[in-house]
Amino acid sequence: MLDKSYRPQEVEGKLYSRWMEQGAFACGRNDSEDAFTIVIPPPNVTGNLHMGHALNNTLQDILVRFERMRGKDVLWQPGTDHAGIATQMVVERQLAEQGITRHDLGREKFIEKIWEWKEKSGGSIIGQLHRLGASCDWNRERFTMDEGLSKAVRKVFVQLYKENLIYRDKRLVNWDPKFHTAISDLEVEQKEVNSHMWHFNYPIEGEGGRYITVATTRPETMLGDTGIAVHPDDDRYKELVGKYVILPIVGRRIPIVADEYADPEQGSGAVKITPAHDFNDFEVGKRAGLDVINILDENACLNDTVPEKYRGMERFAARKEIVADIEALGLLNKIEDHTHMVPYGDRSGVVIEPYLTDQWFADAVTLAQPAIRAVESGQTKFVPSKWTNTYYDWMRNIQPWCISRQLWWGHRIPAWFGPDGMIFVEETEEEAFAAAEAHYGKREELTQDNDVLDTWFSSALWPFSTLGWPDKTPELDKYYQTDVLITGFDIIFFWVARMMMMGLHFMDEVPPFHTVYIHALVRDEHGAKMSKSKGNVVDPLDLVDKYGADALRFFLSASAAQGRDVRLSEQRVEGYRNFTTKLWNAARFCEMNECSVPDGFDPFTAEQPVNRWIIGEVAKCEAAVREALEGKRDGYRFNDASNAVYSFTWNVFCDWYLEFAKIPFQGNDEAAKAETKATAAWVLDEILKILHPFMPFITEELWLTLGAKRDADLVVSDWPVYPDTAIDENADAEMVWVQDLISGIRAVRSEMNVPAGAKIPMIFNEGSDAHKNRLENHWNVISRMARLESKAIDVDLPKGSLQFVHDGATIGLALAGAMDLDAEKARLDKEIGKLNGYITGLNKKLGNEKFVSGAPEHVVAAEKEKLAEADVKMAKLKDAAERLSEL
């Protein structure tokens, strides 16, 4: 017997353990040649479940559970990313608490410490995904530093190097002065900073007293200036192009060059060029052939290329000194307040420097071309399609990819340096020594590169490295190409594009997935982006604790409309918890009425119109959910699928069918009673199947508790398939007619404020014989659900009746005897007056420009929403008053 209420906290862990013990999530459970594969975007091993993870993994889980039930051999490949800088930072912080640095330990011992931490504390997010119900094949869980994946990384690096697609070069990178490493653009956070714009006068060589004024937000970099750029069409400076200025403080002679990068509308129109410390300046410098002078060290302190006074000085301290010295020279033109964006390391929290260093780069321009063609040809499509243009924009403007990081934790670059600087790139140290011996003619000492690879390099191989590549494994043969990648828009370039490049290059020009589904952001209830600084971050596990995993999952899937961000509303999550309660209570109702599916029951031979109708509604619901989840039409539409099963379960099954079923349940027609009980149980089973991908826990609990003889747990049961005859159009038309009549009567009762307990006479005029038959056949349910006292057919309406039209028939409701019409009219007049005052107040508030311009956007929107709701309510009240006056 079912308990009185559903308690997810007591059910979810028990069921998840049961599924794991049974191997319910494992690939290869059936012999199907039809495989379905999703690779999980590997969360950082340091990570904790946030709302973006919850959305992403819920959508993946819906698809894999759906396809598993449809008989496909499903692999949902899980794993975690080693997250180079994030993980190293965690362990360094722990060591710092003991007064130890990684340098105290040395590289080997420090790496051992990280592995110890990873085994003990890393990957807690995996347990959190269990709580969400994620049905990954956990026996195949991978880690980007696994030996198998490391083998793939070395193979890819070496092959690309030997194909001249990886090379070593001195270029500008994002440098983190705290962690002493290059970082990717993704790890750079742009922050708005209130600072200054300093205008300096640079003396023009040989023209005493003549200057060219440049503006800068970074005075300290002027020591590395090697040119001044002006726009070639700027008439103010045309005659200066080709001349030189004398760099203040340094005394270096630097040229004035023409370049379109200089904007005549910005500042003085003349721009100082520091190629070693600005990405744009670096490109200008290349075009103009300017010198590149690096003035900073790895700590962002000034180095020995600057005048002696500033050597070793911290960059911002140097800034103050330089400004003071420029002013002392009489070359400070002016200082303006200036707000601009400054790059910070998202983990270190320090200002990032463009820094000229020797790094390893991948030729992303060449690798990108097949990846662009794969999308152009339709081999891989983006859903929503708008993200295709974002992908093209990034890929067609791609720059060399800096793949090296100055860290200790990560895949160490398989490159060894000989005594003369010669580089030997091989998969193993033994092969490197062999190559060096062949080159030198004798064995020489080699030193391995200290750098490691960018984390995105190894994760770019994820769709095939996790399947055993470079070995030719059965899994690789069966599960690659994967089906759909579900991810966020923010890593289209950093991960999606790189997986496309690597997959096409190493997997015989087959892209890693045929569809990329880009899910939206989860924002707070006001539409603001969640952030710790705003204090509006919601922990998904708090909602799971409070409302159950199913409620959160269903909220996320029902909110996942293509191209529209999800606004997190705890009230809506609570609403879906109420949905689980509704389903539970419906199941208890069926159980208490001894509903069960007898052996040999064939629902498609049912005779009662109400049963034929509900069976057809089940088929319609399944078709709607299946179409939305297959992704064949307009991509995956999780919200449509969720809303279809929600509407059917709550509105059709619970609110209509079970109410209809009470009549035969309580009647004397034993055949109708038996058929309806069997049908109700069958429909409930079908609901559990269709709803399972969205709400796996409650559906499995009901399936196991209600079913006396289940062949298998719901998680591995078959998805329903119905015959074409499942929908009976005649039964459908008949029962819809009954529902519409009941709804029409209820609407009048509500509008006229008829007391809930009052039963009223109904007059049915001008209806067809078919309609009269329907009225007679279903009178018991109509009279009970619409609270009717009696029916009269084709008679005059008594005084005090209100009428409406239903499918050509005129329905009269004799209200006079059921309510005090004068009292109701007085109530309506009072309500209208009160509401009118409320609307006047809202209009006055929204007409106040000071309020509209000064209040937060969501507050103004809420007031407008209140006004719209009040206007609708007013229209209904006035309509009711008008109709009441006619009685």
mmCIF file with all atom_site columns, all heavy atoms in Angstrom, residues 11 31 98 119 154 240 291 401-402 710 735 812 824:
data_model
loop_
_atom_site.group_PDB
_atom_site.id
_atom_site.type_symbol
_atom_site.label_atom_id
_atom_site.label_alt_id
_atom_site.label_comp_id
_atom_site.label_asym_id
_atom_site.label_entity_id
_atom_site.label_seq_id
_atom_site.pdbx_PDB_ins_code
_atom_site.Cartn_x
_atom_site.Cartn_y
_atom_site.Cartn_z
_atom_site.occupancy
_atom_site.B_iso_or_equiv
_atom_site.pdbx_formal_charge
_atom_site.auth_seq_id
_atom_site.auth_comp_id
_atom_site.auth_asym_id
_atom_site.auth_atom_id
_atom_site.pdbx_PDB_model_num
ATOM 1   N N   . VAL A 1 11  ? 13.122  8.139  -0.455  1.00 0.00 ? 11  VAL A N   1
ATOM 2   C CA  . VAL A 1 11  ? 12.998  7.289  -1.638  1.00 0.00 ? 11  VAL A CA  1
ATOM 3   C C   . VAL A 1 11  ? 14.204  7.402  -2.564  1.00 0.00 ? 11  VAL A C   1
ATOM 4   O O   . VAL A 1 11  ? 14.692  6.396  -3.092  1.00 0.00 ? 11  VAL A O   1
ATOM 5   C CB  . VAL A 1 11  ? 11.705  7.661  -2.406  1.00 0.00 ? 11  VAL A CB  1
ATOM 6   C CG1 . VAL A 1 11  ? 11.689  7.043  -3.797  1.00 0.00 ? 11  VAL A CG1 1
ATOM 7   C CG2 . VAL A 1 11  ? 10.487  7.236  -1.609  1.00 0.00 ? 11  VAL A CG2 1
ATOM 8   N N   . ASP A 1 31  ? 21.380  -5.965 -27.196 1.00 0.00 ? 31  ASP A N   1
ATOM 9   C CA  . ASP A 1 31  ? 22.144  -6.257 -28.412 1.00 0.00 ? 31  ASP A CA  1
ATOM 10  C C   . ASP A 1 31  ? 21.825  -5.282 -29.540 1.00 0.00 ? 31  ASP A C   1
ATOM 11  O O   . ASP A 1 31  ? 22.199  -5.528 -30.686 1.00 0.00 ? 31  ASP A O   1
ATOM 12  C CB  . ASP A 1 31  ? 21.853  -7.692 -28.889 1.00 0.00 ? 31  ASP A CB  1
ATOM 13  C CG  . ASP A 1 31  ? 22.286  -8.735 -27.870 1.00 0.00 ? 31  ASP A CG  1
ATOM 14  O OD1 . ASP A 1 31  ? 23.281  -8.472 -27.164 1.00 0.00 ? 31  ASP A OD1 1
ATOM 15  O OD2 . ASP A 1 31  ? 21.625  -9.782 -27.771 1.00 0.00 ? 31  ASP A OD2 1
ATOM 16  N N   . GLN A 1 98  ? 49.960  25.226 5.927   1.00 0.00 ? 98  GLN A N   1
ATOM 17  C CA  . GLN A 1 98  ? 51.004  24.539 6.689   1.00 0.00 ? 98  GLN A CA  1
ATOM 18  C C   . GLN A 1 98  ? 52.346  25.262 6.569   1.00 0.00 ? 98  GLN A C   1
ATOM 19  O O   . GLN A 1 98  ? 53.369  24.768 7.057   1.00 0.00 ? 98  GLN A O   1
ATOM 20  C CB  . GLN A 1 98  ? 51.157  23.108 6.162   1.00 0.00 ? 98  GLN A CB  1
ATOM 21  C CG  . GLN A 1 98  ? 49.880  22.298 6.161   1.00 0.00 ? 98  GLN A CG  1
ATOM 22  C CD  . GLN A 1 98  ? 50.038  20.993 5.380   1.00 0.00 ? 98  GLN A CD  1
ATOM 23  O OE1 . GLN A 1 98  ? 51.095  20.365 5.428   1.00 0.00 ? 98  GLN A OE1 1
ATOM 24  N NE2 . GLN A 1 98  ? 49.002  20.592 4.678   1.00 0.00 ? 98  GLN A NE2 1
ATOM 25  N N   . GLU A 1 119 ? 42.055  11.834 -5.000  1.00 0.00 ? 119 GLU A N   1
ATOM 26  C CA  . GLU A 1 119 ? 41.477  10.553 -4.575  1.00 0.00 ? 119 GLU A CA  1
ATOM 27  C C   . GLU A 1 119 ? 40.608  10.709 -3.335  1.00 0.00 ? 119 GLU A C   1
ATOM 28  O O   . GLU A 1 119 ? 39.603  10.023 -3.166  1.00 0.00 ? 119 GLU A O   1
ATOM 29  C CB  . GLU A 1 119 ? 42.592  9.530  -4.307  1.00 0.00 ? 119 GLU A CB  1
ATOM 30  C CG  . GLU A 1 119 ? 43.389  9.137  -5.531  1.00 0.00 ? 119 GLU A CG  1
ATOM 31  C CD  . GLU A 1 119 ? 42.516  8.609  -6.655  1.00 0.00 ? 119 GLU A CD  1
ATOM 32  O OE1 . GLU A 1 119 ? 41.599  7.818  -6.367  1.00 0.00 ? 119 GLU A OE1 1
ATOM 33  O OE2 . GLU A 1 119 ? 42.743  8.994  -7.825  1.00 0.00 ? 119 GLU A OE2 1
ATOM 34  N N   . ARG A 1 154 ? 49.156  12.641 -25.621 1.00 0.00 ? 154 ARG A N   1
ATOM 35  C CA  . ARG A 1 154 ? 50.519  12.602 -26.171 1.00 0.00 ? 154 ARG A CA  1
ATOM 36  C C   . ARG A 1 154 ? 50.505  12.288 -27.666 1.00 0.00 ? 154 ARG A C   1
ATOM 37  O O   . ARG A 1 154 ? 51.241  12.887 -28.445 1.00 0.00 ? 154 ARG A O   1
ATOM 38  C CB  . ARG A 1 154 ? 51.359  11.565 -25.410 1.00 0.00 ? 154 ARG A CB  1
ATOM 39  C CG  . ARG A 1 154 ? 51.632  11.930 -23.956 1.00 0.00 ? 154 ARG A CG  1
ATOM 40  C CD  . ARG A 1 154 ? 52.678  11.011 -23.348 1.00 0.00 ? 154 ARG A CD  1
ATOM 41  N NE  . ARG A 1 154 ? 52.255  9.621  -23.287 1.00 0.00 ? 154 ARG A NE  1
ATOM 42  C CZ  . ARG A 1 154 ? 51.604  9.064  -22.273 1.00 0.00 ? 154 ARG A CZ  1
ATOM 43  N NH1 . ARG A 1 154 ? 51.274  9.807  -21.222 1.00 0.00 ? 154 ARG A NH1 1
ATOM 44  N NH2 . ARG A 1 154 ? 51.272  7.790  -22.300 1.00 0.00 ? 154 ARG A NH2 1
ATOM 45  N N   . LEU A 1 240 ? 53.651  64.331 -40.107 1.00 0.00 ? 240 LEU A N   1
ATOM 46  C CA  . LEU A 1 240 ? 54.520  63.775 -39.068 1.00 0.00 ? 240 LEU A CA  1
ATOM 47  C C   . LEU A 1 240 ? 54.878  62.314 -39.309 1.00 0.00 ? 240 LEU A C   1
ATOM 48  O O   . LEU A 1 240 ? 55.814  61.788 -38.702 1.00 0.00 ? 240 LEU A O   1
ATOM 49  C CB  . LEU A 1 240 ? 53.848  63.906 -37.703 1.00 0.00 ? 240 LEU A CB  1
ATOM 50  C CG  . LEU A 1 240 ? 53.749  65.316 -37.112 1.00 0.00 ? 240 LEU A CG  1
ATOM 51  C CD1 . LEU A 1 240 ? 53.032  65.260 -35.760 1.00 0.00 ? 240 LEU A CD1 1
ATOM 52  C CD2 . LEU A 1 240 ? 55.124  65.949 -36.954 1.00 0.00 ? 240 LEU A CD2 1
ATOM 53  N N   . ASP A 1 291 ? 60.090  47.485 -33.040 1.00 0.00 ? 291 ASP A N   1
ATOM 54  C CA  . ASP A 1 291 ? 60.766  46.636 -32.059 1.00 0.00 ? 291 ASP A CA  1
ATOM 55  C C   . ASP A 1 291 ? 59.759  46.176 -31.002 1.00 0.00 ? 291 ASP A C   1
ATOM 56  O O   . ASP A 1 291 ? 58.749  46.847 -30.740 1.00 0.00 ? 291 ASP A O   1
ATOM 57  C CB  . ASP A 1 291 ? 61.888  47.406 -31.365 1.00 0.00 ? 291 ASP A CB  1
ATOM 58  C CG  . ASP A 1 291 ? 63.051  47.697 -32.312 1.00 0.00 ? 291 ASP A CG  1
ATOM 59  O OD1 . ASP A 1 291 ? 63.184  46.967 -33.312 1.00 0.00 ? 291 ASP A OD1 1
ATOM 60  O OD2 . ASP A 1 291 ? 63.788  48.661 -32.052 1.00 0.00 ? 291 ASP A OD2 1
ATOM 61  N N   . TRP A 1 401 ? 46.176  29.181 -31.162 1.00 0.00 ? 401 TRP A N   1
ATOM 62  C CA  . TRP A 1 401 ? 45.724  28.738 -29.841 1.00 0.00 ? 401 TRP A CA  1
ATOM 63  C C   . TRP A 1 401 ? 46.945  28.455 -28.964 1.00 0.00 ? 401 TRP A C   1
ATOM 64  O O   . TRP A 1 401 ? 47.722  27.549 -29.247 1.00 0.00 ? 401 TRP A O   1
ATOM 65  C CB  . TRP A 1 401 ? 44.851  27.504 -30.020 1.00 0.00 ? 401 TRP A CB  1
ATOM 66  C CG  . TRP A 1 401 ? 44.436  26.787 -28.771 1.00 0.00 ? 401 TRP A CG  1
ATOM 67  C CD1 . TRP A 1 401 ? 44.471  27.248 -27.495 1.00 0.00 ? 401 TRP A CD1 1
ATOM 68  C CD2 . TRP A 1 401 ? 43.920  25.449 -28.700 1.00 0.00 ? 401 TRP A CD2 1
ATOM 69  N NE1 . TRP A 1 401 ? 44.007  26.295 -26.620 1.00 0.00 ? 401 TRP A NE1 1
ATOM 70  C CE2 . TRP A 1 401 ? 43.659  25.182 -27.329 1.00 0.00 ? 401 TRP A CE2 1
ATOM 71  C CE3 . TRP A 1 401 ? 43.640  24.466 -29.647 1.00 0.00 ? 401 TRP A CE3 1
ATOM 72  C CZ2 . TRP A 1 401 ? 43.149  23.958 -26.910 1.00 0.00 ? 401 TRP A CZ2 1
ATOM 73  C CZ3 . TRP A 1 401 ? 43.126  23.248 -29.220 1.00 0.00 ? 401 TRP A CZ3 1
ATOM 74  C CH2 . TRP A 1 401 ? 42.877  23.003 -27.860 1.00 0.00 ? 401 TRP A CH2 1
ATOM 75  N N   . CYS A 1 402 ? 47.096  29.245 -27.915 1.00 0.00 ? 402 CYS A N   1
ATOM 76  C CA  . CYS A 1 402 ? 48.180  29.018 -26.956 1.00 0.00 ? 402 CYS A CA  1
ATOM 77  C C   . CYS A 1 402 ? 47.814  27.810 -26.102 1.00 0.00 ? 402 CYS A C   1
ATOM 78  O O   . CYS A 1 402 ? 46.856  27.862 -25.311 1.00 0.00 ? 402 CYS A O   1
ATOM 79  C CB  . CYS A 1 402 ? 48.393  30.247 -26.082 1.00 0.00 ? 402 CYS A CB  1
ATOM 80  S SG  . CYS A 1 402 ? 49.673  30.018 -24.828 1.00 0.00 ? 402 CYS A SG  1
ATOM 81  N N   . ARG A 1 710 ? 5.895   -7.033 -12.067 1.00 0.00 ? 710 ARG A N   1
ATOM 82  C CA  . ARG A 1 710 ? 6.652   -6.250 -13.039 1.00 0.00 ? 710 ARG A CA  1
ATOM 83  C C   . ARG A 1 710 ? 7.769   -7.111 -13.630 1.00 0.00 ? 710 ARG A C   1
ATOM 84  O O   . ARG A 1 710 ? 8.471   -7.813 -12.899 1.00 0.00 ? 710 ARG A O   1
ATOM 85  C CB  . ARG A 1 710 ? 7.271   -5.017 -12.382 1.00 0.00 ? 710 ARG A CB  1
ATOM 86  C CG  . ARG A 1 710 ? 6.282   -4.062 -11.734 1.00 0.00 ? 710 ARG A CG  1
ATOM 87  C CD  . ARG A 1 710 ? 5.371   -3.418 -12.740 1.00 0.00 ? 710 ARG A CD  1
ATOM 88  N NE  . ARG A 1 710 ? 4.650   -2.280 -12.162 1.00 0.00 ? 710 ARG A NE  1
ATOM 89  C CZ  . ARG A 1 710 ? 3.627   -1.678 -12.742 1.00 0.00 ? 710 ARG A CZ  1
ATOM 90  N NH1 . ARG A 1 710 ? 3.190   -2.100 -13.930 1.00 0.00 ? 710 ARG A NH1 1
ATOM 91  N NH2 . ARG A 1 710 ? 3.037   -0.646 -12.161 1.00 0.00 ? 710 ARG A NH2 1
ATOM 92  N N   . MET A 1 735 ? -16.480 12.907 -25.556 1.00 0.00 ? 735 MET A N   1
ATOM 93  C CA  . MET A 1 735 ? -16.020 13.278 -24.226 1.00 0.00 ? 735 MET A CA  1
ATOM 94  C C   . MET A 1 735 ? -15.563 14.739 -24.171 1.00 0.00 ? 735 MET A C   1
ATOM 95  O O   . MET A 1 735 ? -15.688 15.401 -23.134 1.00 0.00 ? 735 MET A O   1
ATOM 96  C CB  . MET A 1 735 ? -14.888 12.351 -23.777 1.00 0.00 ? 735 MET A CB  1
ATOM 97  C CG  . MET A 1 735 ? -15.306 10.886 -23.642 1.00 0.00 ? 735 MET A CG  1
ATOM 98  S SD  . MET A 1 735 ? -16.873 10.636 -22.742 1.00 0.00 ? 735 MET A SD  1
ATOM 99  C CE  . MET A 1 735 ? -16.487 11.333 -21.160 1.00 0.00 ? 735 MET A CE  1
ATOM 100 N N   . GLY A 1 812 ? -29.494 26.869 -20.531 1.00 0.00 ? 812 GLY A N   1
ATOM 101 C CA  . GLY A 1 812 ? -30.030 27.816 -19.554 1.00 0.00 ? 812 GLY A CA  1
ATOM 102 C C   . GLY A 1 812 ? -29.790 27.320 -18.143 1.00 0.00 ? 812 GLY A C   1
ATOM 103 O O   . GLY A 1 812 ? -29.965 26.132 -17.854 1.00 0.00 ? 812 GLY A O   1
ATOM 104 N N   . GLU A 1 824 ? -25.769 39.793 -4.807  1.00 0.00 ? 824 GLU A N   1
ATOM 105 C CA  . GLU A 1 824 ? -24.636 39.584 -5.692  1.00 0.00 ? 824 GLU A CA  1
ATOM 106 C C   . GLU A 1 824 ? -24.332 40.831 -6.499  1.00 0.00 ? 824 GLU A C   1
ATOM 107 O O   . GLU A 1 824 ? -23.173 41.181 -6.725  1.00 0.00 ? 824 GLU A O   1
ATOM 108 C CB  . GLU A 1 824 ? -24.896 38.392 -6.618  1.00 0.00 ? 824 GLU A CB  1
ATOM 109 C CG  . GLU A 1 824 ? -23.789 38.091 -7.620  1.00 0.00 ? 824 GLU A CG  1
ATOM 110 C CD  . GLU A 1 824 ? -22.439 37.815 -6.979  1.00 0.00 ? 824 GLU A CD  1
ATOM 111 O OE1 . GLU A 1 824 ? -22.381 37.500 -5.765  1.00 0.00 ? 824 GLU A OE1 1
ATOM 112 O OE2 . GLU A 1 824 ? -21.421 37.915 -7.687  1.00 0.00 ? 824 GLU A OE2 1
#
